[in-house]
Amino acid sequence: MSQEMRERPRLVVVGNGMVGQYFVEQAVTAGLNQRYQMVVIGDEPRPAYDRVRLSEYFADASLDDLSLTTAAYFEAHQITLLLRRRVIEICPDHSELKLDNQTSLGFDRLVLATGSYPFVPPIQGADGDHCFVYRTIEDLDAIIADASSGATSGVVIGGGLLGLEAANALKNLGLEAHVIQFASTLMEMQLDPAGGRVLQKKIEALGVHVHTARNTQSIGPGQTHRLRLEFVDHAPLETDLVVISTGVRPCDNLASAGGLAVGPRGGFAIGNQCQTSEANIFAIGECAAWSGQLFGLVGPGYQMARVLAQHLAGDSAEFTGADMSTKLKLLGVDVASIGDSIGRTPGALTYALSDGAAQSYKRLVVSADGQKLLGAVLIGDVAQYSYLQQLCADAADLPDCPESLLLPDPDAEAGGIVELLGDSAQVCSCHNVSKGQICAAVSEGATTLSDLKAGTKAATGCGGCAQLATQILHGELERIGVAVDRSLCEHFSFTRQELYHLVRVNEIRSFDELLSKHGQGHGCDICKPAVASILASCWNDYVLDDKRTPLQDTNDHFLANMQKNGTYSVVPRIAGGEITPDKLIALGTVAKKYDLYTKITGGQRIDLFGAAVDQLPAIWSELIAAGFETGHAYGKSVRTVKSCVGSTWCRYGVLDSVAMALRIEHRYKGLRAPHKLKFAVSGCTRECAEAQSKDVGVIATESGWNLYVCGNGGMRPRHADLFLTDLDDDSLIRTIDRFLMFYIRTADRLQRTSVWMENLEGGLEYLREVICEDSLGLADQLEQEMARVVASYECEWKRTINDPASLKRFRSFVNTDTPDPTLQFVRERDQRRPATVAEIEQAKPTEAAEKNPALAVVIK
């Protein structure tokens, strides 16, 4: 090594996987190899290869086919490559690394590209003969050798994306393939049970045996095959080899001893320049957690690598998130994932459509206010992939009913489609036809899809854009005055408002009755929850009785909000934010007992997060015994009534805002509506409760209460309108009664009061005429309807925990309540003299590290 090279600052890259190698290439492009002495450390015996295409190795793909680089590349660019080496500790204070061969290496800049490692659950015998993980070339070589030595069947433990890919590998090896899934559905992190069933049917049709809700207890010797898998509460299964693919974890072992910050779900916490909590240490790829988010795809890792290379070269660049979209085939089944497909974004809403006949499944994740598409999952039918990906990438506004994007009917919500994409957005990739060209064709006389095909060639290639093109066509037609069908769905040729009136006037009390009299078919995931909401608004019957349970979405089905990791939140009502010390203690006791994360929310409630579905009844039993009741955080209903302390405590307060907040919240608790409702009461015009950003806001003055309506504090905020002034207590309640019931009567499904007001013909003045002047003669009827709702209230959780039949649904798995344990190993720091690169190259791994890889992080 020349004197010039030794005098340069040292840039060390730990990890020579796909992302690590891409960073090296970007660094060379940016000239960093001329400014730094670059050293790359990799654990595997070969330079980087394409791990995404790993399954092709079973189909006779050679190492050369998968290779991403060669040793000659490193030599040509004067980069030192150390293979078969593990870094076992980072010493930031001394800017050095400890390696597994008793040597140390100093650094000026350190890049961690350590990737992820396979997670192996604590199954007895999982580390025995004929048991493998699915991660490296060596893993695949071992599987191939074992399969070729007399094996006839193979089992994959894990039904996620990697598990299904591994099952395909076993099938390609000629084995009878089985998939064992702990959860009750495949791909439980991406799919709800309906979507999982669709995927399972398609995979089973291809000859792979799927076993869900199986808790593997042990793996031991078999009688007719090499191995025997024992399950809790299920018959055993014999096989010849086992591949464990139960997910991955970020390789962040180096963070502990090095004092580096980690994200909430692991991974080195990084900022926008990919820097860790140490200024000269950076992390990229699957081991990095940006804003608490881990990225399990190679694309975001590449984006981080580009940003970091530019940053180290002195250019301005930032990593501010990444497109997580991907489209692939699993066992021949089309699967697409777009953006935040599993709903990590706080407050994200989920819509799903399962088509049993077509064996397809679609799921959308949208922002809390329903305005932006955050992600999507498509199974079987991925024709909308490009369109949805464009919506997500452009952060385009969605229609008032985002779930319309799931419908196969191209006319659904067509009027809103024109506004979703810019004119330059590509609709037909085969012939490069933009949305603007389609709109121009409509203005020139096109009225049918055939007209569009003739004039623009859209949808004449692969045909995948036909639905999107038709939606834009109908949206543009509506814009120029052509009527568009607004039916709720294919099963009801009515709007939500019309269905509400049919239910109310005809006193219809069940979905089946409404369907038989005014609909057709069997219903779908669009109309069932909508009708369930209408029935609850009208009659306020128990939502989990035998007739209504099948109509509910996941949150209402379990009377809890499902969180991004599959657990649920527990949100007891704390009316007006007022709580006794005993109740505070009870909340703390429950949270501690069940190991729940607690948070005081902006709605003056204490939310408890992380409850398993089977824990919910026990938790609520204790809370109800302590005097709590459900806060309806899971429902499209009244959530909270925020308040300041008012005249009781505040020297500026003119009226008792707490007493009014309590009255309002207890009156309207349990009221079901087209969308969630939030209230606030401020005791003076200083507005500490932020009432003017709520659906219903009340502000005290010297002359009475001022009432504000139709505010929204979401991603598309709307200031509430002053509706009436100087109201006394009873007049205020009476006005709110009328306002809420009129909204419930006339709003579209999943339409916030803010959007409802914007679309209401005549706007605020018309609303005043209806509510205050009784222009429609509905005032008495609206008040009576509200009175019936108030009189029929019952705490849904109190009833549920006393109903054995309802309690049966609250089980995470059919065969066990045991959670997954998480193990953490912490090594003590030690100090050694930094070694030279030559010493590291010549040294051998320690015997302890060779025998026990758990002592050192595995570099991918």
Side-chain angles (χ1 to χ4, degrees), residues 96 107 112 151 242 356 453 466 476 577 658:
E96 65 182 41
F107 62 84
L112 301 171
V242 172
K453 289 180 177 180
E476 188 68 2
V658 176

Side-chain angles (χ1 to χ4, degrees), residues 294-338:
L294 295 169
F295 298 88
L297 298 175
V298 71
Y302 284 173
Q303 187 173 337
M304 292 180 195
R306 288 194 296 270
V307 166
L308 179 55
Q310 293 173 34
H311 172 67
L312 293 177
D315 296 333
S316 59
E318 289 189 341
F319 179 81
T320 56
D323 183 7
M324 297 290 287
S325 305
T326 183
K327 185 167 65 171
L328 63 157
K329 280 185 180 289
L330 295 172
L331 290 158
V333 179
D334 287 312
V335 178
S337 172
I338 298 170

